[in-house]
Amino acid sequence: MTVAKIPASRMRVLAFTSRTPSGSRASMAVASLLLLVTIVAVLGRVLSPYDPVQPVGMLNLPPGSPDHLLGTDSIGRDLLSRTLWGIQISWFTSLVVVASGLVIGGAIGVTAGVCGGWIDNLLMRFTDLFLALPGALVAIAIVAALGPGLKNTLIGIMIVWWPYYARIIRAEVKSLASRPHVEAARLAGVGRGRLVLRHIVPGAVPTALVTASLDIGNVILLLAGLSFLGLGQSAPAPELGADTARSLQLLLTQWWIPITPGIAVLLMSLIANLGGDAVRQLLNSKR
Amino acid sequence: MLKFIVRRLGSSLVLILVLSAIIFLLQEITPGDPVRAYIGLNASPEAVAAARESLGLNSPLPLRYLHFLGRLLHGDLGVSFRTHRSVVSDLGDFLPATAELVTVAFVFALVLGILFAVSGALRWWGTSVLRGLLLVLATGPSFLLALGGIVLFYSRLGWLPGGDRGANASGPTGFLMIDSLLHGDVAQWATALQHLVLPALALAIAPAIAIGRILRASLETTMNADHVRTARAKGLSEGAVLGGHVVRNSIGPALSMAGLQLGFMFAGVVVVEQIFSWPGIGNYLARSIPVSDFPAIAAVTLVLGTIYIIANALVDLLQAAADPRLNL
């Protein structure tokens, strides 16, 4: 049996872009999908045709009904409106979580990488401790202890989300600190603060951004899971995971009602992954 | 090697202690008074104060943590507010079902992951379609996979059952697929397997892709390495090259990814068990959340977290066995 060599272009899964000759243009197009979702999320409330909380039509209308594109749920609320509002909450919440990971993890990673010595050791042992725990599970426990709600969900995920960033940013800072340009700056008498802010941190930004953009999809999935378990906002508020959980009993009769929010989550996470991959290629090709 | 094993197990112990400390702190900040939960809402203030003293709730925080640890070591995880039974006996009832589901899901994830990794080497157009489908499914939330599976394979096609385990475990292991064989009941074995397919697949697809991607990358690196070219040049058969020179070198990263994915599976099992009415601890946790039954939530987190930590220690030992360079 001969095992064919796996061509390098197929290495990166989900990267349609690397196969096209005009790679960077295609990457731009895919990366701009991230922007598109953000615009949809920003305009979610304007785009949604009805109030997501009020009953506005007949009950359990199927998708494609004249006035309700995605149909209505069991008490006559418009599914398109609820999904759009849900997308808005879900997308922005995950951006906030990823940003918090960048900020907290970045601060710890930069401190550890720049200071070195026992500070580095201490911070990294602490980081490893958190990395070695099952983050999603601990997040569930934290939110359950604090009580459900969007704010507590955010706190719960933020507590477990930074270690990964700290690790990656520290490694990047370490490798940057030994580069010639930092050496040169130090020899030129640049102070420590300026050295870090002007010569090291900007160099770590691309890696941090790539890590963050590839991470959005993970956060979206975790948020949807927590919401499904009832740890998100309370009842009438539109939220994708919770909307599925609340309409489970319709699964065998009107399956689209519980499935629609799930598909919205899938699409967001898919776009986040594709977009993250494209961002990575764009930033890597620039170097 | 022995030193490595001892050190790795020691660090797992530290991790378990940290996990227990986190759970303890969460228990401290959770709204709701444990004394009221313990002696009832109508108790007089004096009775509350007395119970507070006797439960040791007036002692300082570190002492209370030691108390908590002591109770843990005696297998006392408290009483569930919802079932009014000791959490340990609840867990005893529900753990085997989860263990069976996660084991089967993990096997599915490994098999699918390996197929995904090597499918790039196959020259059949269908593989790319399948791979694309798996990739898209892997980005979906686990509840969507579970619900989609029920709608398609249970409701539409009627091929597979849409919930529960199909039978009650009658001992001795609590794993239906093993117990039924021990009782010589092939029909029950088949039923158990049928009931496992959908929930296990819903749990397995995302980890399978994660494992498959890593495995493929590391297989590719190894296959292009100089020592493999040398082995081929020596005229070794492809099987001997793979078995003797490739597999051990490329299995490490995939193994550690598999260990990490177990954590996501444990979170996913909470959602999937709820959807399939699976009588496991994930479902137990899911039903404890709406009623804020914190002793139950804490216990499940502690048990699953401990299993995760031990499993990852085993993964590290396996890795060291496969690649002696890691044995530092």
Side-chain angles (χ1 to χ4, degrees):
Chain A
M1 165 191 142
T2 53
V3 174
K5 193 180 139 203
I6 304 164
S9 62
R10 309 193 64 179
M11 267 277 306
R12 214 172 285 121
V13 212
L14 271 186
F16 308 129
T17 44
S18 62
R19 266 167 251 167
T20 53
S22 56
S24 78
R25 203 178 298 162
S27 297
M28 282 297 269
V30 177
S32 61
L33 281 177
L34 290 176
L35 201 65
L36 185 73
V37 183
T38 311
I39 293 172
V40 169
V42 171
L43 298 179
R45 299 186 178 206
V46 186
L47 288 176
S48 63
Y50 300 96
D51 184 332
V53 186
Q54 296 299 323
V56 287
M58 307 240 291
L59 312 186
N60 298 335
L61 283 176
S65 308
D67 291 330
H68 303 279
L69 199 59
L70 294 181
T72 56
D73 69 6
S74 58
I75 53 173
R77 296 177 299 196
D78 182 56
L79 278 180
L80 177 63
S81 308
R82 284 191 77 77
T83 307
L84 282 171
W85 281 58
I87 286 177
Q88 180 178 53
I89 294 164
S90 185
W91 187 255
F92 286 130
T93 318
S94 37
L95 290 186
V96 169
V97 170
V98 166
S100 82
L102 268 181
V103 171
I104 305 173
I108 292 180
V110 169
T111 312
V114 169
C115 294
W118 66 270
I119 299 182
D120 182 21
N121 234 325
L122 185 78
L123 286 176
M124 282 304 111
R125 285 296 85 75
F126 190 62
T127 305
D128 286 346
L129 224 54
F130 267 84
L131 265 183
L133 295 172
L137 204 61
V138 175
I140 291 177
I142 295 175
V143 187
L146 295 173
L150 195 58
K151 197 181 86 198
N152 290 344
T153 304
L154 272 175
I155 296 173
I157 302 183
M158 279 177 183
I159 291 178
V160 297
W161 218 251
W162 59 268
Y164 180 56
Y165 288 90
R167 264 260 159 245
I168 286 176
I169 291 172
R170 175 200 172 259
E172 190 69 13
V173 165
K174 277 265 176 212
S175 89
L176 282 170
S178 59
R179 293 263 183 91
H181 77 274
V182 177
E183 195 79 0
R186 194 178 291 136
L187 287 176
V190 175
R192 193 167 193 182
R194 191 180 156 87
L195 193 72
V196 171
L197 287 180
R198 297 292 302 271
H199 298 276
I200 293 181
V201 169
V205 166
T207 308
L209 277 185
V210 168
T211 313
S213 56
L214 280 168
D215 199 31
I216 299 175
N218 299 332
V219 181
I220 290 174
L221 291 185
L222 180 59
L223 277 170
L226 289 176
S227 163
F228 181 88
L229 290 173
L231 290 170
Q233 290 177 296
S234 52
E239 214 179 56
L240 297 174
D243 273 4
T244 295
R246 289 181 203 129
S247 53
L248 272 188
Q249 75 281 1
L250 300 172
L251 185 65
L252 298 183
T253 47
Q254 281 92 22
W255 56 266
W256 60 88
I257 297 176
I259 295 274
T260 303
I263 289 181
V265 175
L266 174 101
L267 286 179
M268 271 196 294
S269 138
L270 188 63
I271 289 176
N273 278 320
L274 290 171
D277 237 351
V279 168
R280 172 168 66 183
Q281 292 195 357
L282 285 175
L283 289 178
N284 282 351
S285 64
K286 265 192 201 152
R287 287 200 182 175
Chain B
M1 187 69 186
L2 189 69
K3 210 173 124 195
F4 180 77
I5 295 178
V6 170
R7 216 172 53 202
R8 191 60 190 81
L9 292 183
S11 69
S12 315
L13 205 65
V14 173
L15 277 173
I16 294 172
L17 278 177
V18 170
L19 182 67
S20 73
I22 293 176
I23 302 285
F24 168 75
L25 285 177
L26 288 177
Q27 207 150 18
E28 290 286 312
I29 59 164
T30 181
D33 188 347
V35 178
R36 293 282 179 188
Y38 188 69
I39 60 171
L41 286 174
N42 301 322
S44 68
E46 295 80 40
V48 169
R52 183 170 289 280
E53 189 61 48
S54 74
L55 287 172
L57 289 172
N58 289 333
S59 36
L61 197 70
L63 212 64
R64 286 211 300 279
Y65 173 59
L66 286 182
H67 258 286
F68 173 81
L69 267 188
R71 280 191 290 126
L72 278 189
L73 290 177
H74 286 100
D76 177 7
L77 291 169
V79 174
S80 158
F81 300 157
R82 183 170 60 90
T83 63
H84 300 291
R85 295 174 51 194
S86 104
V87 175
V88 173
S89 52
D90 276 347
L91 288 185
D93 287 353
F94 295 128
L95 193 57
T98 300
E100 181 168 35
L101 175 59
V102 171
T103 311
V104 173
F106 198 64
V107 172
F108 279 11
L110 289 182
V111 172
L112 280 175
I114 292 170
L115 285 180
F116 185 83
V118 299
S119 67
L122 297 175
R123 305 217 173 277
W124 177 52
W125 63 270
T127 51
S128 32
V129 176
L130 266 178
R131 289 157 52 89
L133 186 69
L134 278 178
L135 277 172
V136 172
L137 288 181
T139 57
S142 48
F143 64 80
L144 181 68
L145 294 185
L147 297 178
I150 292 178
V151 169
L152 189 61
F153 294 105
Y154 168 70
S155 165
R156 294 285 139 140
L157 298 171
W159 289 355
L160 290 165
D164 77 56
R165 295 179 88 184
N168 288 323
S170 49
T173 62
F175 280 50
L176 268 181
M177 287 185 64
I178 297 178
D179 288 345
S180 55
L181 283 185
L182 290 178
H183 294 285
D185 190 344
V186 178
Q188 200 195 51
W189 184 84
T191 317
L193 180 63
Q194 280 178 344
H195 282 82
L196 272 164
V197 172
L198 278 183
L201 271 183
L203 279 176
I205 287 182
I209 299 303
I211 296 168
R213 288 172 79 159
I214 297 276
L215 183 61
R216 190 152 67 125
S218 84
L219 270 180
E220 204 211 23
T221 315
T222 320
M223 295 291 271
N224 293 330
D226 291 343
H227 77 273
V228 173
R229 185 156 27 101
T230 310
R232 283 216 178 97
K234 282 196 303 193
L236 288 184
S237 72
E238 216 34 62
V241 172
L242 280 178
H245 299 271
V246 174
V247 169
R248 266 176 75 145
N249 279 310
S250 38
I251 202 87
L255 270 179
S256 56
M257 181 46 101
L260 282 180
Q261 289 300 319
L262 205 57
F264 291 103
M265 268 195 190
F266 283 162
V269 91
V270 186
V271 168
V272 169
E273 282 190 359
Q274 191 189 15
I275 291 175
F276 285 95
S277 320
W278 196 262
I281 61 175
N283 197 1
Y284 179 65
L285 174 59
R287 283 191 290 165
S288 305
I289 287 173
V291 293
S292 308
D293 183 357
F294 198 73
I297 296 169
V300 173
T301 313
L302 203 56
V303 168
L304 288 181
T306 305
I307 297 176
Y308 172 79
I309 290 168
I310 294 174
N312 273 290
L314 289 180
V315 162
D316 279 1
L317 296 182
L318 269 180
Q319 242 183 313
D323 186 349
R325 284 170 302 180
L326 294 173
N327 188 357
L328 299 170

